[in-house]
Amino acid sequence: MSDSPLRERILDATAGLTIGGGWAAVSMGKVASAVGVSRQTVHTEVGTKAELAELLVIREVEAFLGEVIAGFEGAADVPTAIERSITRVLARAEDSSLVRGVVSAAHGADTELLPLLTTRPEHLLDLATATVQGLVAPFDLPLPQARIDATIEVIVRVALSQVMHPTGSPHETAEHLAWMVRVVLDALPGEATR
């Protein structure tokens, strides 16, 4: 994604409008007015309203991936890194007005942003999974790569599910997922060759 200052201002304004009135209340004219530019300038910078929504979601996802990376920094083992990362991600989700707005859409409110997370999750899932795979790669894990990749995908899917529909506190959920990773890593030695 571009680091254009204008694009960031547009996305900030869009987030503010979305938080204030839902995605249905966002128009390219309102965004332009909030930023102090013409509507054509907004279109030139970000494209259509659908493309603007996608950029907004991608920016939020990148911020969440930053939390994952921070959770891995200095971690002595993968379970600890997973626990720290998931705690950070879910705490951010709790604190994010934008995420709360998207989650409320899942419960009957404005639903236009929701499809970017739920009906077209491939990009989001692939990006998150690839990020975690890259962070796990330096650890010497006693499992074949296929098992590692499958475990990462499950963890990512559960984390995304918890962002949308939390069933416990960030720490509780993270501790449960870290426990599962520890169980996988402590599997019988024969598992490493299956």
Side-chain angles (χ1 to χ4, degrees):
M1 187 159 79
S2 166
D3 290 328
S4 153
L6 175 58
R7 179 171 291 190
E8 287 304 307
R9 287 174 41 221
I10 289 169
L11 292 175
D12 288 343
T14 303
L17 290 167
T18 303
I19 291 162
W23 184 248
V26 174
S27 70
M28 300 305 255
K30 287 180 183 175
V31 172
S33 178
V35 175
V37 297
S38 71
R39 190 166 70 190
Q40 183 56 47
T41 299
V42 173
H43 279 288
T44 300
E45 186 66 27
V46 298
T48 66
K49 185 178 176 186
E51 291 169 319
L52 175 60
E54 190 163 348
L55 288 171
L56 186 63
V57 170
I58 288 170
R59 184 174 78 161
E60 192 68 12
V61 167
E62 288 175 347
F64 277 96
L65 292 177
E67 298 293 350
V68 173
I69 292 165
F72 268 79
E73 288 174 357
D77 56 49
V78 172
T80 299
I82 293 292
E83 184 169 355
R84 288 170 36 183
S85 293
I86 298 296
T87 299
R88 293 177 68 98
V89 164
L90 297 181
R92 181 181 177 89
E94 279 187 346
D95 293 341
S96 170
S97 298
L98 184 60
V99 170
R100 283 198 309 271
V102 171
V103 170
S104 72
H107 298 97
D110 174 14
T111 59
E112 288 185 56
L113 276 179
L114 192 60
L116 292 170
L117 296 176
T118 58
T119 62
R120 291 176 29 208
E122 309 82 24
H123 177 70
L124 172 59
L125 183 62
D126 289 348
L127 184 59
T129 300
T131 299
V132 177
Q133 285 171 333
L135 293 167
V136 167
F139 291 90
D140 184 24
L141 300 179
L143 293 168
Q145 193 62 46
R147 296 286 192 200
I148 293 169
D149 291 345
T151 302
I152 289 170
E153 183 177 342
V154 168
I155 296 295
V156 168
R157 286 180 182 274
V158 170
L160 292 175
S161 173
Q162 288 293 315
V163 166
M164 296 301 291
H165 302 284
T167 59
S169 74
H171 177 73
E172 290 168 340
T173 301
E175 193 279 327
H176 289 312
L177 290 173
W179 175 83
M180 288 188 282
V181 172
R182 282 187 184 92
V183 168
V184 169
L185 293 177
D186 292 340
L188 295 174
E191 176 64 23
T193 60
R194 287 186 205 158

